[in-house]
């Protein structure tokens, strides 16, 4: 039993030299310090990499049904006032989305982009009716049954036009053009006429979100009040011509669904300068995306790619389009799934040992070469071979 320690020493792969036979040099100290610095930096880098979850990517056919598509947007139109712009959403058939959940706001800005007033919530795909009240005692400007200026007709259900909005609606039903709204008595003191004077002296920010059915569709920002005639979606830009609108814009943000880490939106902060009346068309391909976190929670969102087409419509709507910013999107049949996974501790330990052992070995070899070279030079100097 007394010989067991002696026999055990025979298995020592790291024999120690006596302290008296160890030689310490300045070169060895420098190599040791540099090696320690490199080991520390690489160890910290490996520790950060170990604590960062790994992202596993999968691709498969999307079989989900019945969910909603959330569209987040923040767009600034730099040369047209908010009163002249409308935001409409339509599905693949061209029909307007009605009664959809949305939280869209308009904010009036000056031409430098500074807010003029607080944002106001706006409506989608809806013709606003005037809330103007009639004063029965005031017969000088607004009679009890106001003149419709030729647009009245029982076959159209139009008998009286007591407000500016009713006159405009009568002309719209008749499909007549209004050259100058101020020629109507009902529109003399209408606030909308006053706002038209600032049509091109302000900017407009349209932002918020809307939730639509998870099918292909489109939405657009265009000048004029929107309505449908015989299932055709049109915008009333009277009394302006379509060539009067300069729709330079900036897309501050556009996404579909929840933002997830590591995924950027490709057209955020995109600015487009227009030299005239232009029709900007954006064709978007949406890829459904699922993101599974380490804690097991699941985020459903979408990624997308986009192509863009610009068309000059300065010649008028009959030239093949109308001025506006149009977004057409369709859903991809494939889904991408990202799953966060943690790296095993054994992997981290193996890499850490490889870093320390490898650098220590390389440093030992380098130190040995430096020491041997210095000794050889010193020996030649002593023999007088090198002056």
């Amino acid at each position: 039993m007394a010989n067991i320690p002696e026999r055990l020493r025979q298995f020592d792969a790291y024999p120690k030299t006596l302290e008296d036979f160890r030689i310490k040099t300045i070169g060895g100290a420098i190599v040791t310090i540099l090696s320690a610095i490199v080991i520390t930096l690489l160890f910290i880098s490996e520790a950060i990499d170990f604590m960062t979850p790994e992202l596993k990517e999968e691709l498969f056919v999307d079989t989900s049904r019945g969910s909603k598509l959330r569209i987040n947007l923040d767009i600034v139109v730099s040369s047209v006032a908010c009163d002249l712009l409308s935001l409409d959403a339509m599905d693949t058939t061209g029909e307007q989305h009605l009664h959809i959940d949305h939280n869209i706001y308009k904010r009036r800005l000056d031409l430098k982009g500074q807010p003029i007033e607080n944002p106001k919530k706006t409506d989608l795909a809806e013709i606003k009716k005037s809330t103007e009240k009639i004063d029965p005692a005031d017969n000088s400007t607004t009679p009890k049954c106001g003149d419709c200026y030729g647009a009245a007709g029982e076959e159209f259900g139009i008998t009286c036009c007591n407000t500016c909005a009713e006159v405009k609606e009568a002309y719209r039903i008749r499909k007549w053009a209004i050259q100058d709204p101020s020629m109507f008595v009902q529109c003399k003191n209408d606030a909308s006429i006053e706002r038209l004077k600032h049509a091109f002296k302000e900017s407009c920010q349209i932002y918020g979100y809307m939730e639509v059915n998870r099918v292909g569709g489109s939405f657009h920002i265009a000048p004029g009040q929107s309505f449908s005639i015989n299932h055709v979606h049109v915008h009333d830009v009277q009394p302006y011509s379509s060539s009067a609108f300069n729709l330079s814009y900036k897309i501050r943000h556009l996404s579909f669904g929840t933002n997830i880490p590591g995924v950027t939106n490709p057209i955020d902060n995109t600015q487009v300068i227009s030299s005239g009346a232009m029709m900007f068309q954006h064709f978007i391909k949406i890829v459904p995306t699922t993101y599974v976190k380490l804690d097991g929670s699941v985020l459903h969102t979408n990624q997308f790619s986009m192509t863009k087409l610009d068309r000059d419509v300065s010649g008028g709507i009959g030239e093949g389009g109308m001025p506006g910013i149009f977004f057409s999107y369709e859903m991809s049949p494939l889904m991408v799934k990202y799953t966060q996974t943690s790296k095993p501790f054994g992997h981290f330990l193996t890499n850490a040992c490889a870093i320390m052992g490898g650098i220590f070995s390389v440093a030992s070899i380098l130190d040995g070469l430096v020491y041997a070279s210095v000794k050889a030079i010193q020996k030649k100097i002593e023999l007088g071979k090198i002056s």
Side-chain angles (χ1 to χ4, degrees):
M1 295 295 292
N3 293 330
I4 291 179
E6 289 296 331
R7 292 180 180 179
L8 190 60
R9 290 191 185 98
Q10 301 301 319
F11 293 96
D12 186 6
Y14 307 98
K16 314 317 186 277
T17 58
L18 296 176
E19 190 71 30
D20 296 339
F21 293 95
R22 293 181 180 178
I23 300 175
K24 296 184 178 181
T25 63
I26 296 177
I30 294 174
V31 171
T32 302
I33 293 172
L34 292 176
S35 300
I37 293 173
V38 173
I39 289 174
T40 302
L41 292 176
L42 292 180
F43 181 82
I44 293 173
S45 174
E46 185 64 28
I48 293 174
D49 182 67
F50 169 70
M51 291 184 291
T52 303
E54 194 173 23
L55 209 58
K56 180 182 177 183
E57 185 175 352
E58 300 174 88
L59 185 66
F60 52 89
V61 175
D62 181 16
T63 58
S64 60
R65 294 290 183 272
S67 57
K68 292 285 187 177
L69 176 65
R70 176 175 172 135
I71 303 174
N72 308 297
L73 59 92
D74 186 353
I75 300 175
V76 176
V77 181
S78 57
S79 300
V80 182
C82 289
D83 292 318
L84 266 71
L85 294 175
S86 61
L87 171 64
D88 299 297
M90 293 178 286
D91 59 20
T92 50
T93 64
E95 293 291 333
Q96 290 176 293
H97 285 298
L98 298 177
H99 309 297
I100 63 175
D101 294 329
H102 71 91
N103 196 28
I104 300 293
Y105 289 85
K106 286 182 181 179
R107 175 186 282 144
R108 293 174 59 200
L109 309 174
D110 60 22
L111 294 178
K112 295 181 180 180
Q114 299 300 317
I116 296 177
E117 63 181 17
N118 293 329
K120 296 180 180 179
K121 189 171 183 179
T122 185
D123 294 323
L124 301 179
E126 182 178 324
I127 298 176
K128 300 177 182 179
K129 299 297 184 181
S130 174
T131 58
E132 179 183 353
K133 295 182 179 180
I134 305 171
D135 183 3
D138 186 4
N139 297 323
S140 59
T141 58
T142 308
K144 293 181 179 180
C145 185
D147 188 5
C148 292
Y149 300 90
E154 293 184 359
E155 67 274 20
F156 296 99
I158 305 170
T159 56
C160 299
C161 299
N162 294 323
T163 66
C164 185
E166 290 177 355
V167 177
K168 291 179 180 179
E169 178 69 7
Y171 268 63
R172 185 191 68 78
I173 294 174
R174 287 280 196 167
K175 302 179 185 180
W176 292 353
I178 301 176
Q179 299 300 329
D180 183 9
S182 61
M183 68 181 182
F184 305 136
V185 174
Q186 294 90 328
C187 295
K188 291 293 184 181
N189 300 318
D190 190 77
S192 62
I193 303 301
E194 185 65 24
R195 288 195 295 267
L196 291 178
K197 298 178 181 178
H198 305 283
F200 306 117
K201 298 179 181 179
E202 295 180 3
S203 303
C204 184
Q205 179 186 7
I206 301 176
Y207 68 96
Y209 70 87
M210 52 186 172
E211 292 185 349
V212 298
N213 293 327
R214 197 178 181 84
V215 295
S218 65
F219 61 95
H220 60 263
I221 298 173
Q225 190 179 45
S226 61
F227 52 89
S228 296
I229 298 179
N230 297 328
H231 302 288
V232 177
H233 183 77
V234 297
H235 283 253
D236 180 12
V237 296
Q238 300 167 359
Y240 303 104
S241 65
S242 60
S243 60
F245 296 95
N246 181 346
L247 286 172
S248 299
Y249 65 95
K250 179 178 182 180
I251 300 176
R252 299 176 61 180
H253 177 74
L254 179 65
S255 63
F256 299 85
T258 307
N259 291 326
I260 61 176
V263 177
T264 58
N265 301 301
I267 59 174
D268 280 7
N269 297 313
T270 299
Q271 187 161 7
V272 177
I273 304 299
S274 172
S275 58
M278 298 288 293
M279 182 178 184
F280 300 102
Q281 295 175 288
H282 305 78
F283 301 96
I284 298 172
K285 191 76 169 183
I286 299 176
V287 180
T289 303
T290 301
Y291 188 83
V292 183
K293 293 185 175 181
L294 279 176
D295 57 6
S297 59
V298 180
L299 297 178
H300 297 283
T301 184
N302 303 278
Q303 301 181 78
F304 67 96
S305 61
M306 188 202 74
T307 56
K308 182 169 172 286
L309 175 64
D310 300 343
R311 182 183 300 173
D312 188 352
V313 293
S314 300
I317 296 178
E319 296 296 323
M322 62 171 293
I325 307 167
F326 295 81
F327 299 88
S328 299
Y329 57 87
E330 61 178 356
M331 307 298 298
S332 170
L334 299 178
M335 172 180 281
V336 178
K337 182 179 181 181
Y338 294 104
T339 306
Q340 277 189 339
T341 57
S342 58
K343 298 175 182 177
F345 182 74
H347 180 76
F348 165 72
L349 195 61
T350 301
N351 287 353
C353 292
I355 289 172
M356 291 185 285
I359 293 178
F360 183 79
S361 299
V362 172
S364 299
I365 295 172
L366 182 62
D367 179 58
L369 291 174
V370 172
Y371 180 73
S373 301
V374 171
K375 291 295 289 183
I377 293 173
Q378 288 177 348
K379 188 174 182 179
K380 289 183 178 182
I381 292 176
E382 292 175 357
L383 295 176
K385 293 183 178 181
I386 299 178
S387 58

